[in-house]
Amino acid sequence: MSGSGYRFRLPPPIILLSMMILLATVLTWVIPAGSFERMASDGGRPQIIPGSFKWLPESQAVSSWQMIRAVPDGFARALPVIFICLISAVMFAFLEKARTIERAVGALIYNLGQDRSGIIITLLTFIYGFLGIFVGYENNIATIPIACVVVLALGGDLILAAGVAIGGMTVGFGLSPFNLYTVGVGHELSGLPMFSGAGLRSLLCLGGLGIMSWFNMRYFQRLKAGKTGQLGQGLDTSGFEFDPDQRQLSSANWMQLAVFGAGLLAVIYGGLKLGWRINDVSGVFIIISIFCAFISRLSIKELSDAATEGIARMAPPTFVIGLATTISVILQQGQIIDSLSYGIGQALVNLPPALSAVLMTIFQGAFNMLVPSGSGQAYATLPVMLPLGETVGLSQQASILAFQIGDGLTNLINPSLPGLAAMLLYCRVPFERWFVFVLPLVGIVLLWAVSGLMLAVILGWS
C-alpha cells in the first residue's frame, strides 16, 4: 500500500468492462458451443442433466452487431439492480438534506469518543458482514454512505470506508452459511438438507470477517501514521463531510431514523422469512423515501433538487452495472457457458480429492469473472461438479463449499460484478485503488478458507 504501489494502474471501469465485453465476444469464436440437456427443477428453474453434454454442430459465435445489441440487453437484465441503486440514492439524498445521517454520526462519535475509533471500525466491519450474511448483497447498497460518513468522521478515508462496508459485506455474503444464491441452490440441486453444514461455514465466515476487521484496522493505523502513500488522497468527499458540532438530532431526524431502521428490519425479515428478492427491497426503499420526504418538512423544490442530485451521482454506477451484465449476455448468446462448465469438469478427472477441491475453487473463481451471478453459476456448474466430485472422492458438501469459496471471495476483485461496481462508485473509490488495497486481503482470506476446505476434505466432512 505504499505510494510506489499505487503507481499500478487499471483502465477506468467503463474501458475495463468494454475490454471484457470484447473478450467475451472473442471467446464465442474460440470456444466451441455446447449444451447440456435440462429438466425443470422443483423451484421451476431448468436444471442440467449430468452426463448429457453435447457439442453443438454449428458455431454460435457472436457477431460485432450482436455484441452491440447485447449492451441494451444487458441493461434490461440489470434493471432491478439499477433501480435499487437509484431509489437508494434518492432515499439517502432526503436523509442527507435533512442532515439526519450527519447528526446521528455526530452523536455517535460524541458519545463513544474519538479514542474508541478502533472499536467502531471493528464493530462496523462485523455489522456490514452480518448484513451480507443475512440480508444479501445488492440489497445493502443503500447503507454504503453511512460507512463513508462514519469512517471520515473518525479520521479515516474513503478507501477505509470501502474496506469496512464493501469488504465486510462481500466476505460475509461470500462465506455466508445461509447464502440462498450459492449454498441454497447447491443444497437444492444436491438434495441435501437446506443450509446443512452451517457449523463449518459459520466458522469460516466469522474467521474471514475477523481477518477483514484486522486488515481494516491495520490500514487505519498506517493511515494515522502517514504510511499509506496516496491511496486515499484526492477522492471526492463532498456530501460525506462531518461537522462535529452537528450532533443534536431534531424530532424530525429521530423520526427519519426510526423509519429507516424499521425499513431495514423489514428487509431482514422479508429476506429471511418471506423469500424477498431485490424488487421487494426496492419497494421498501420507495416507502422509506416517501416517509422521509414527508417528515423532513422540506419544500417541494428542495426535495426535487435533492432527488435530482442523488440520481445524478448514481448515474455512473448504473451505467457500469449495465455494461457488467452484458458480459454474461454475450456468453449465453454464444452458448459457451455450458462448454466452460464441461471443460472445467474434465480438467478435474483423476486428481486427488483435496487437490480437486482446491482446483474447483480456482476454476470457479475464474468462471465468476465471466458470469458474476452466484445462482447463475450454481445452476451452470454444480450439476457438473457434484457428480464429478463424488467420482474423485469429494462429498457433496465439500463440492458446494469449494464452489462457494471460489465464487464468493473473488467477488472482492471482480470488475464485472454489478454490485461491487455500484458500491465502489457509491464510495467514489476507483477500481484500481480498491484493487491495490484489497488484493493482499484476498490472498489471506482465500488461504484461510481453502485451508478449511482441505481440512474438511481430509476429514471426510459430509
Side-chain angles (χ1 to χ4, degrees):
M1 297 179 199
S2 65
S4 59
Y6 176 59
R7 294 193 184 100
F8 171 79
R9 287 289 187 270
L10 283 173
I14 291 177
I15 302 301
L16 181 61
L17 289 171
S18 298
M19 293 168 61
M20 293 184 70
I21 289 172
L22 286 172
L23 173 61
T25 303
V26 171
L27 288 178
T28 66
W29 288 82
V30 174
I31 300 174
S35 178
F36 286 98
E37 294 181 17
R38 286 169 167 80
M39 60 181 179
S41 65
D42 293 338
R45 184 155 184 171
Q47 179 178 330
I48 286 175
I49 300 175
S52 65
F53 180 81
K54 293 181 180 179
W55 298 107
L56 298 181
E58 296 183 4
S59 171
Q60 303 295 318
V62 174
S63 68
S64 56
W65 176 244
Q66 288 174 315
M67 178 187 70
I68 294 172
R69 283 287 307 274
V71 176
D73 289 339
F75 275 78
R77 186 175 298 182
L79 275 179
V81 179
I82 290 174
F83 183 79
I84 198 172
C85 290
L86 293 175
I87 190 59
S88 65
V90 172
M91 177 177 66
F92 269 97
F94 292 161
L95 292 170
E96 180 184 313
K97 197 72 173 179
R99 295 195 167 182
T100 297
I101 296 176
E102 183 181 8
R103 290 171 181 171
V105 171
L108 174 69
I109 304 301
Y110 178 77
N111 288 304
L112 291 181
Q114 284 277 1
D115 56 336
R116 298 184 180 178
S117 56
I119 297 176
I120 299 175
I121 294 294
T122 300
L123 182 63
L124 269 181
T125 302
F126 273 90
I127 288 175
Y128 275 98
F130 289 142
L131 286 174
I133 292 171
F134 294 108
V135 180
Y137 201 62
E138 287 89 355
N139 298 359
N140 292 309
I141 287 175
T143 63
I144 296 296
I146 298 175
C148 295
V149 176
V150 173
V151 170
L152 290 177
L154 293 173
D157 59 12
L158 290 178
I159 298 290
L160 179 59
V164 167
I166 303 174
M169 196 184 306
T170 306
V171 171
F173 178 76
L175 295 178
S176 170
F178 312 110
N179 191 316
L180 285 169
Y181 307 98
T182 54
V183 180
V185 173
H187 286 163
E188 174 193 331
L189 294 174
S190 65
L192 292 170
M194 187 61 67
F195 302 134
S196 55
L200 175 60
R201 289 189 176 87
S202 297
L203 177 63
L204 292 178
C205 185
L206 291 174
L209 287 175
I211 294 171
M212 187 75 246
S213 176
W214 163 80
F215 191 78
N216 285 335
M217 277 302 304
R218 177 176 173 270
Y219 178 84
F220 188 40
Q221 291 167 355
R222 290 170 60 84
L223 182 65
K224 291 192 292 185
K227 298 180 179 180
T228 59
Q230 300 179 0
L231 199 57
Q233 293 183 9
L235 299 180
D236 179 18
T237 60
S238 59
F240 297 144
E241 298 92 347
F242 169 72
D243 182 353
D245 294 329
Q246 292 287 339
R247 59 173 182 265
Q248 297 296 325
L249 283 87
S250 66
S251 58
N253 294 145
W254 280 111
M255 290 174 67
Q256 284 186 327
L257 287 175
V259 169
F260 181 73
L264 286 185
L265 290 176
V267 169
I268 294 173
Y269 180 81
L272 293 176
K273 298 295 185 180
L274 304 178
W276 278 7
R277 293 293 184 262
I278 194 166
N279 284 346
D280 301 294
V281 178
S282 293
V284 173
F285 289 168
I286 292 173
I287 295 172
I288 294 174
S289 300
I290 293 172
F291 274 95
C292 286
F294 179 77
I295 293 169
S296 69
R297 299 175 184 174
L298 297 171
S299 68
I300 296 296
K301 185 179 186 307
E302 288 175 318
L303 291 172
S304 177
D305 290 344
T308 302
E309 291 170 6
I311 292 172
R313 193 179 295 158
M314 190 50 60
T318 56
F319 191 81
V320 168
I321 289 169
L323 286 181
T325 311
T326 301
I327 298 169
S328 60
V329 171
I330 291 174
L331 296 178
Q332 288 178 349
Q333 289 180 349
Q335 296 195 43
I336 64 171
I337 292 180
D338 284 359
S339 301
L340 290 169
S341 300
Y342 175 75
I344 291 171
Q346 292 301 301
L348 299 178
V349 176
N350 299 324
L351 292 176
L355 180 58
S356 294
V358 174
L359 288 178
M360 193 180 293
T361 297
I362 295 172
F363 285 141
Q364 198 62 56
F367 195 73
N368 185 39
M369 299 294 174
L370 295 173
V371 186
S373 165
S375 59
Q377 290 176 67
Y379 281 106
T381 63
L382 278 178
V384 179
M385 295 302 180
L386 287 171
L388 179 66
E390 289 184 295
T391 64
V392 300
L394 292 177
S395 68
Q396 290 184 318
Q397 289 283 22
S399 295
I400 294 170
L401 180 59
F403 163 81
Q404 181 186 12
I405 294 171
D407 167 73
L409 294 182
T410 53
N411 282 337
L412 285 163
I413 52 172
N414 187 354
S416 64
L417 181 66
L420 177 64
M423 292 180 194
L424 285 176
L425 286 168
Y426 221 147
C427 284
R428 304 168 199 171
V429 173
F431 180 80
E432 68 268 16
R433 297 203 195 189
W434 168 255
F435 187 86
V436 171
F437 168 75
V438 84
L439 186 60
L441 179 278
V442 174
I444 297 170
V445 76
L446 267 175
L447 180 62
W448 158 257
V450 169
S451 298
L453 170 63
M454 294 182 68
L455 182 61
V457 173
I458 293 171
L459 296 178
W461 176 63
S462 62

